[in-house]
Each structure stands twice: as structure tokens, then as C-alpha cells.
Amino acid sequence: MTAELVRGQNHPLPAARLDVRVSAPAPVVAGATLADAEGRLPGIEWVAHPGAPALPGLEVSRQAAAEHRLAFDLDALPESVHRVGVLLALPTGTGGPARFGGLAAPVATVTGPDGTAVARYTISGLDTESALIALEFYRRQGAWKVRAVGQGYAGGLAALLADQNLPGAERLAAEINETALPGPARPFTAPPPPPRLPEEDHTRRMATPPAAQEAQGSPPSYEDPRLADGLSAPRQAPGTLPPSGDPPGEPRPGPRQEEAAGPTGSVSRPASGGPVGHVHPGRRSAAPPAHAPTAPPDASGPPTGPFAGDATGWSPEERLHNQVWGMFEDLARSAAAYRGAVDFADSRLDRELDQVLADPRLRLGGQGDAAREAARARHTLLVTRAREAFDRDLAQLVAESEVVEPALPTAFARWDNPVWHEYRVPTRSPMAVRLGDLRLPESGELRIPLLVPLPLERGLWIDSGHSGSPDPRADPEGLRRLAMETAVAHAGRLLAVHPPDAFAVEVIDPAGSAAGPLAPLVRSGLLAAPPAVGADGVTATLTRLTRRIDLLQMAARGGAPDALPPDLDTAGRLLIVHDFPYGFDDRAVTRLRHLADEGPSVGVQLMLVADREDAAGFGSLLDPLWRSLLRLTPVPDDHLADPWVGHAWTYEPPRVPRGGGLFAQVLGRIAEARGPRSH
């Protein structure tokens, strides 16, 4: 179980190798200090920061970002180091927020080498502070512990470093701020497989929003390639609206919208105008380490167009992952600029027409008609220019998508990608998995892959209820069957992207009504047990899985994995629950909630196939369950919102090609790799 820390509280660490993952509502600079037993910093070489990201035993991010992962190996630190401080600071000179008090509370989470959360600290109670010490690792009687500090400094990073008696604190603070903001880069929230390495931030320069330009007395220029959006949207809980004060032209997500949580990224644009440039320093602002695989040099010079892997990362998979998320943000921000321009043009037209009506001199004769025609012409010009700029950006992203899609690995590829016909069972789990596609009304045929980090940090809810979709299959019975088919497709993909013995699927089907959709999994023999039916089957399966979760958690907390029962399979588990809440009593619902809350920390995931209206009889008891799950739909539906500007994105579920036996062929290869075994 993850420890929720409060200021001043400490917590033991289960291992010396760990990560600190930082989530903030705006880009922050992350660093670390190494201090002696008295808390002194002998010199600037004891500070890890974007300009010097690696020290013995730790690595930090190279740029400011809203998401960070800092890697630590406390046993590799010098013997003289007794305290390690984790620092956060708001960058200066960027036009961004100047104090933490005006933002949502940042969160620092300590995770183990396998990504399991150990402790979490929500740094609340901040006001004028622009820099802070979030956490401190300290050595006590030969063992390391973590303490929630939360000490802020209104004087910024310079004041923080000076408070630790560091010589040259102001000079170092200025250097850190300068090196943290060289250009756009792309962070991501999913930790890749060990060794753990720092990620990069991807922010872009923002132009003055249209309304602000108008207030300054100058008309907005929609040919400016920089986006009008200057705020970084904070991460939101499912079903909530973004805070007030949104930039003009950025619609807030509706009550059923949910953030497509994940990494952030962007494409920088030339300050002199023109379309999006995809060959620029921002995509490779930090070179991979010498041991990382790199592409062979091209004697003909740099590429002249978009190419697959045009992003930072330590492996081809990670570079493609970050590139996809960068395309996601690019489209979100380009659409925000276009929508903001159109909204401004509409509001200006309304205002000018009102002025014509209010002027007695223009009410009669041809002067009024001429003024109205001139206002409409200006409106048309602004909208046309905005659309031209958006179309240029869209064309660049379409061209990039056309080279990226064929290059995606199996875990990121659509089912119709030829890579599935050459499928081979993997030897390690990927960093993310594709669970569908996202699109905007303005994006035409462009689809952005929805890549969800692995291991899954939350369960999935396949909504079989009425969604208002125009899809002809959206009748109640058709939706229920389609929802289960979608769940089976997701389960098959999850089985396919994991090593053969690293992941298993179980099913609860109380009424036995999912036999048809489940047939591919049953015939392949990949289910860990026959589908559980009836109330007794529901109780037995949930009892066994909750016991499994409790045993794994106790072993992790006690640092005694060898004490687990020998018959306990520690592979990851996915439990598909069909037609919930049929067959569930109050006790079974309680166990299901426990599985949804605690299961992800030990590799037990939930996939709920249900219509929320069917569970209305439980009242508000199930509200936390629905909120904890990522809602997906079996038909296209615009319920997801991006984490940058909050657009409503239409989610399109994956579709396994009909005929040809591709899905059965993939499942058969997995079964063959597993070999005969008892369930």
C-alpha cells in the first residue's frame, strides 16, 4: 500500500534503487542536492541540475517539465553523503507562473525499481514560494528513509541554495534556469524498463492570446506560428472541469470528459512564421548516452522531412512513444490556436455590428450597409488566415503520421498494421500499449494513437451503456455484445505484448452470456481459469484475487518475497468482469473495490464491462469505483480530454480485422510459446 505522507513525516525505503516521479500543473525545474551529515553542501558539484544532470548514484531531468522522473541508487552515493534533497523550482523569465500558491499542489511519488509506488507526498499549503525542497532521503543507522519536507522559498532557487550555505548560490541558480529552458523537448510519465534514465521536457513558446493583443491596441496576427495558448492545463480528476481563468478559445471538458493521462510533448515552430517544422533541435535537444542505440550516420545530411523516431529517448521504442505523444500535443495546441482565432473573430464581428447599430449616423443610407460588409470581410479574413495556418500544421502532422504509423512496434500498432502478421512473442514488456485512437473534429482523417503506460496504473471500464453515438450498432443489446468484444480485443493485445508467462487473464461472467465474444480466448487456452459463473463463481474468484493482492503487498512491505506460498503465481493478472453488477452482493462489491484500488500496485488489473445505469441501485457507493477507472467505449465517443488544453477528443476503439484469422493466429502463437501447462 502506498504511504500518503504529510509534511515532516518519514517512511522507510524498501530498497536503495528507486525513482522519484514529480507531477506538477506547470513546468518546473527538478534537481537534487547531496549533503553531509550536518546538511552542508561543500560546493556546486554536489548539486544535480539540468546543466549537470548526473552525479554518482542519481540522475535528474535535463529540462523544465510538468512531469519528471528522477533516478536514484542510494547505495552508489559517496560514503560522505548522508542527505539527498529533491528540489523543485518554477523557471523564471518564461511568462509562466511565478509562485506555487497559484497552482494546484505538485505531487512527488517515490517508486521502487518495478514502478510500485512506495510513498506519495502532495505538497500543499504553498503561497508565494517559487522554489521548494519536496523530499529528503536521509541515512539513519545504516538504512535510508524518506522524509516529506515541503519547505518553500519565496526568493526562488537562489534563496533555497543560499539557505544551505552553498557558495555562489545566485550564480548557480541563474545557470540552472538558463540551461533548463533551451527549447522544447518531450517528457513522458511511464517509466521505461531499467536502467532508469531521465526524461526531457517539451514546452513551446507561446504568443500573446488574441484578447490580450486586442487589449494592447494591436490586431491579432493569426499568421504567427506560435500558439495563442500560454497556459499548461493541470491534470484533472475524471469528470471535473479545468480551473477558471482558461485562455480564450479553449473549451472546457464536459462532465463526462476524462483526461487521457500520459506524457506531454510538443513541436516547436520557427519564430519567423511558416508551417510546423519537424526537423529541429527540440526533437533531439539531448543526445542519448553513448551506450544507447542510435541510427547510423547519414552521409547525405539531415533528413529533409518528417521521420519515425524524431524525438528524444534511449531506445527506438521510447523515441517513437515520445514522438506520438508529441504529435498528440501538437494537434491539441494547434486546434486551440485555431479555435481561439475563430472565437476572437466571432466576438469582434458581434461587437462591430453592435457599434454600427448604436451609431445613429449609420442607421440610414448606404454607410451602415458598407460598415457591416466591412466587418464581415474582416471576420472572413481572420477566419481564413487561421484555417490556413491550422491546415499547414495539420498537413505536417499528417505527413509525420504517415511515416510513424508503419514504423510502430507491435504494442503501439493498429491491428491492421503488417507488423501483426509477423508477430513474435516478446521477451520483455513494453513501456506502453495502444488502446485505441483519438481525433478532433478539425483533424480530418488524422488519428493519434492512445498510448497508455504499462504497467497499467488504473483499471479499465468498457462502458456498455448508451452513449448517444450515431453508430448503428449502438442499440442496447448490440452495445453489450460489442463492449465485450472490445474487452476481448484489449485483453488479447495485453497478452500479446507481454512475455508468455508474465501476464494472465481471468473472466467473471455471472450469467454466462459472454460465451460468444470470449470464444477466441477460450479456444486458445489462454485463460488462467474457466470463466467464473454464478454468484458462487463471483465470490470464489474475488476471494482468491484479494487474498493474492494482500499476500503480495505484505511480502513487498516486509521485503520478504521468498515468504510467499510456493503455489502463488506472481505474474500479472487482468480480471475481466462482464455484465456488472449481475451476480454481485454487497460483500462482492466491496472486494471488487479493493481489487480496483489495491490491485494495480501488485500487478492485478481490473477491466469492468458494465453499464453504469445497471448499478444505480448501489447509489453513491460505487462512485469511487467509476472514478478510479479509465472509461473506454465500444463505439466512437467524445468523452476524453487532453491534459494540455482540455479539448474533447473522440475516442475510437480498436477493431480487430474480420476474417483472415489474424486474432486467432496471434493468440495461437502466444499459446504455443507458453506450452502445455495446467491452469
Side-chain angles (χ1 to χ4, degrees), residues 24 134 233 288 298 343 358-359 513 637:
D298 185 356
D343 288 345
D359 190 342
S513 58
D637 190 68

Side-chain angles (χ1 to χ4, degrees), residues 175-241:
E175 176 187 342
I176 292 174
N177 188 73
E178 180 180 356
T179 56
L181 301 170
R186 294 182 171 169
F188 58 94
T189 59
R196 301 188 182 279
L197 296 168
E199 63 269 16
E200 304 300 328
D201 174 36
H202 292 257
T203 58
R204 68 168 85 213
R205 294 175 295 173
M206 303 300 173
T208 306
Q213 295 183 27
E214 180 190 21
Q216 295 168 3
S218 60
S221 171
Y222 296 105
E223 293 181 312
D224 189 335
R226 295 171 296 176
L227 298 179
D229 167 31
L231 297 181
S232 175
R235 299 190 179 277
Q236 307 156 25
T240 61
L241 298 176

Side-chain angles (χ1 to χ4, degrees), residues 464 477 480-485 488 507-519 531-534 577-580 582 609 614:
S464 61
E477 289 305 317
R480 290 180 185 275
R481 180 178 180 86
L482 195 58
M484 193 58 190
E485 291 176 352
V488 171
V507 177
I508 290 179
D509 182 21
S513 58
L518 285 173
V533 296
V577 177
H578 178 243
D579 217 11
F580 176 81
Y582 182 81
V609 183
D614 292 344

